[in-house]
Amino acid sequence: MRSLIISFFVLLTITTQAQEQGIHPQSTTYEWPADPAVKEKLEHWRDQKFGMIIHWGLYAVPGMIESWALCSEDWISRDTNSDYGEFKKWYWGLKKDFNPTQFNPDQWAQAAKDAGMRYLVFTTKHHDGFCMFDTKQTDFKITNGPFADNPKANVAKYVFDAFRRKGLMIGAYFSKPDWHCPYYWWPMYATPDRNNNYDIRKHPGRWNQFKQYTYNQISELMHDYGSMDILWLDGGWVRPLETVTEEVKGWGAAIPAWSQDIDMPGIATMARQAQPGLLIVDRTVHGPYENYQTPEQRVPDKQLDHPWESCITLGNAWGYVPNDELKTSTKVIHQLIEVVAKGGSLLLGVGPTPQGTLPEPVVQRLTEIGSWLKVNGEAIYNTRPIQGYQSGKVYFTQSNHSKSVYALALLDENAPVPATIEWTVNVPAKGSKIKLLSTGAPVKYTVKEEKVIISVPPAIQKAKGNPALAFEFIVAAD
C-alpha cells in the first residue's frame, strides 16, 4: 500500500478543470445584514483589508492537497492500481503520525503582524473531519493522538490566543461537510462524491444526528475559545435544497435530490448569543448568513458594491506542500491593491509544516509585504472604493473618514521605476498637493487635458524592488 500511496502523490494532478471543481464559486446576489451589531462588526472588518487563512491538518503530514483526495469524483486522479478503500484508511490513519512537536503559534502570529495582516481565519476542521480543537463530539482530533500530552495540544485555542495578543480579528474556519463522521458519510454505503451518501428523506433520524453533531461542534468553538469575530463556513454544497438555484446548478458539482439543511438559523442564533455581532460567512449560500462573499483564487473582474474578500494562496496549495512555488511579494501586493480598489479584502493562504512552524520562505514573503505596507498602508487600510477605481496600471481608493484619495501605481517587477506616473481619472483639486506616502513629501505634477502626470523623484527612480507607489491627494469637485 505504501508504494501505491507514493505513486498516488506522483500521479495526483490537479488540472484547471479540477481546480475549478475544488473551488467555491461566487454568488451574484448579496443580502445586507439587519442586526446593528453585525453591521457594525462588518464595517470594522471592511477596514482591515488583509488577513491570513491557515490550513493545517492531517494533509500536512504527507504534504498533499487538503482533504480533497478523499473525494471520489472524476477530477481527482489516482494511480490506477490504487484501492480507494485502502487509501481512505491510510489517509485517516495519518492521525497516528501527526505530532507537531515544534508547534509555534506565536511565530505564525508574529509573521502575520509583520506582514501587515489584520485578521485571521484558522481551519478548525476541514472536509476530512479531523478536528484541530478539543471537541467532545469525536475522538478524531489533534488532542487524541501522539500530540495529546503536549501542553498546547488544543491547537485552536493557542492559535486564537496568539493572534489575539497581536491585535488581529479572529475567525474560525469550519467545514460543514464531514467525511469522517458516520452521520454524513454512512459506512454502510459507498461515497460517490462530496455529498452525504444516503437519502436523507429515507433516513431523517441519521441526518438529525449529523445536524446535532455540527451544532455541538460550532457551539464549542463559540463558547470555549474566547472572543470570536468570524465564523467562516466552508462546503457550500451542504445547504437547503431551496437555495439551489439555476446559478448554483450551473457550477457543475453533483446535487442530490434531498436537502442537506443543517439549520443555519438555529446555529446563527446560538453563535450570536455567545458572540454578539459575529460575522457568519456561509460561503455561496446567499442570504442572511453570508455576511460577505468569498471569491476563491481569483479577483473579480470589476468593482463590487457589497462586502467581499478574495481568498488566494501564497503558493499553489492551501496547506503545506514541500517546495511549493510561492508568489513574489510584488505579485501579492499587486493583488492586494487591485482587491482593495475593487472594494474587497485579501485573505492570503499559508500552510504550516507538519512539525508546526511556518516555512522560512513563507515568513520572508510576509515580511517583504509588510515592509511595503508599513509606509503605504494608509492607502489600503480604512479605505472604501471610489467610482473611478482604475486608470491603466494605477488603482484608486478613498479614505472612509477624510476627503483623501489615494492613487496606487503598480510597478513592473525587476524593471526600472519610470520617470513619470500618469492617470486620467480622479483629477486633483486645483492648486492642491499630491504627496508620496512612502516619504511624506509632495511631488511635482501637471494636469494636461484631464491627464495627471506625476514626476517621480530621482531618488525613488533609483530605488530597486518597489512593488508600487502610493500618492495621496484631494479630488477636484464635480
Side-chain angles (χ1 to χ4, degrees), residues 48 194 221 273 340 385 399:
Q48 310 311 308
R194 69 189 66 189
L221 291 169
Q273 285 175 346
V340 172
S399 172

Side-chain angles (χ1 to χ4, degrees), residues 302-304 341-343 384-391 396-398 405 425-426 475 478:
K302 60 183 179 180
Q303 193 177 78
L304 303 178
K342 290 180 175 178
R384 292 294 181 272
I386 190 170
Q387 186 172 3
Y389 71 90
Q390 183 180 8
S391 176
F396 299 88
T397 63
Q398 61 182 333
V405 172
V425 296
N426 299 315
V475 170
D478 293 333

Side-chain angles (χ1 to χ4, degrees), residues 99-119:
N99 188 22
T101 54
Q102 298 175 40
F103 171 48
N104 190 354
D106 291 316
Q107 182 220 18
W108 306 1
Q110 187 61 56
K113 185 74 172 180
D114 291 344
M117 292 165 162
R118 299 289 183 87
Y119 67 105

Side-chain angles (χ1 to χ4, degrees), residues 242-293:
E242 61 268 21
T243 70
V244 179
T245 62
E246 289 302 313
E247 178 188 18
V248 174
K249 293 177 182 177
W251 294 340
I255 299 171
W258 50 86
S259 182
Q260 296 185 78
D261 186 352
I262 57 170
D263 186 18
M264 275 305 303
I267 289 172
T269 298
M270 171 272 294
R272 285 178 173 152
Q273 285 175 346
Q275 303 286 345
L278 178 76
L279 300 181
I280 298 177
V281 183
D282 193 5
R283 303 185 67 201
T284 77
V285 187
H286 53 268
Y289 309 114
E290 191 184 30
N291 295 147
Y292 62 79
Q293 294 184 332

Side-chain angles (χ1 to χ4, degrees), residues 55-326:
H55 279 72
W56 197 43
L58 295 183
Y59 39 87
V61 177
M64 61 184 287
I65 180 176
E66 73 295 336
S67 290
W68 281 106
L70 289 168
C71 187
S72 186
E73 295 180 358
D74 61 7
W75 63 277
I76 295 290
S77 299
R78 297 186 183 86
D79 180 354
T80 56
N81 294 315
S82 66
D83 180 285
Y84 180 43
E86 287 299 310
F87 176 79
K88 287 196 291 187
K89 290 179 182 178
W90 171 83
Y91 181 95
W92 282 322
L94 291 170
K95 170 186 170 182
K96 70 182 185 305
D97 302 319
F98 193 19
N99 188 22
T101 54
Q102 298 175 40
F103 171 48
N104 190 354
D106 291 316
Q107 182 220 18
W108 306 1
Q110 187 61 56
K113 185 74 172 180
D114 291 344
M117 292 165 162
R118 299 289 183 87
Y119 67 105
L120 163 77
V121 176
F122 176 68
T123 303
T124 64
K125 181 181 78 168
H126 206 258
H127 313 328
D128 60 9
F130 187 75
C131 298
M132 300 299 289
F133 65 107
D134 190 26
T135 178
K136 303 302 186 290
Q137 312 308 312
T138 179
D139 288 336
F140 195 53
K141 57 185 179 179
I142 190 67
T143 53
N144 183 38
F147 198 56
D149 294 330
N150 191 285
K152 295 180 180 178
N154 193 359
V155 161
K157 171 182 172 13
Y158 289 94
V159 171
F160 293 145
D161 286 349
F163 280 78
R164 277 194 206 96
R165 286 194 294 269
K166 295 298 181 182
L168 279 75
M169 294 180 74
I170 301 299
Y173 170 116
F174 182 89
S175 171
K176 293 183 296 181
D178 186 318
W179 295 335
H180 187 268
C181 178
Y183 306 129
Y184 191 80
W185 273 3
W186 190 352
M188 186 171 75
Y189 295 118
T191 54
D193 54 37
R194 69 189 66 189
N195 296 289
N196 79 297
N197 66 335
Y198 60 91
D199 190 331
I200 290 170
R201 298 166 299 184
K202 296 179 180 178
H203 305 283
R206 192 169 194 87
W207 185 254
N208 285 335
Q209 287 178 289
F210 179 68
K211 286 167 65 175
Q212 190 64 53
Y213 177 86
T214 302
Y215 180 98
N216 291 348
Q217 286 198 323
I218 294 176
S219 180
E220 289 170 339
L221 291 169
M222 294 299 104
H223 288 89
D224 302 338
Y225 289 81
S227 177
M228 204 70 65
D229 300 296
I230 304 164
L231 176 59
W232 209 90
L233 299 173
D234 205 6
W237 59 92
V238 176
R239 62 195 298 150
L241 192 59
E242 61 268 21
T243 70
V244 179
T245 62
E246 289 302 313
E247 178 188 18
V248 174
K249 293 177 182 177
W251 294 340
I255 299 171
W258 50 86
S259 182
Q260 296 185 78
D261 186 352
I262 57 170
D263 186 18
M264 275 305 303
I267 289 172
T269 298
M270 171 272 294
R272 285 178 173 152
Q273 285 175 346
Q275 303 286 345
L278 178 76
L279 300 181
I280 298 177
V281 183
D282 193 5
R283 303 185 67 201
T284 77
V285 187
H286 53 268
Y289 309 114
E290 191 184 30
N291 295 147
Y292 62 79
Q293 294 184 332
T294 55
E296 185 172 337
Q297 294 288 40
R298 69 180 186 88
V299 180
D301 295 332
K302 60 183 179 180
Q303 193 177 78
L304 303 178
D305 62 359
H306 55 260
W308 59 277
E309 75 183 2
S310 280
C311 44
I312 297 176
T313 49
L314 178 59
N316 293 314
W318 288 106
Y320 170 75
V321 172
N323 303 312
D324 195 8
E325 183 179 354
L326 304 180

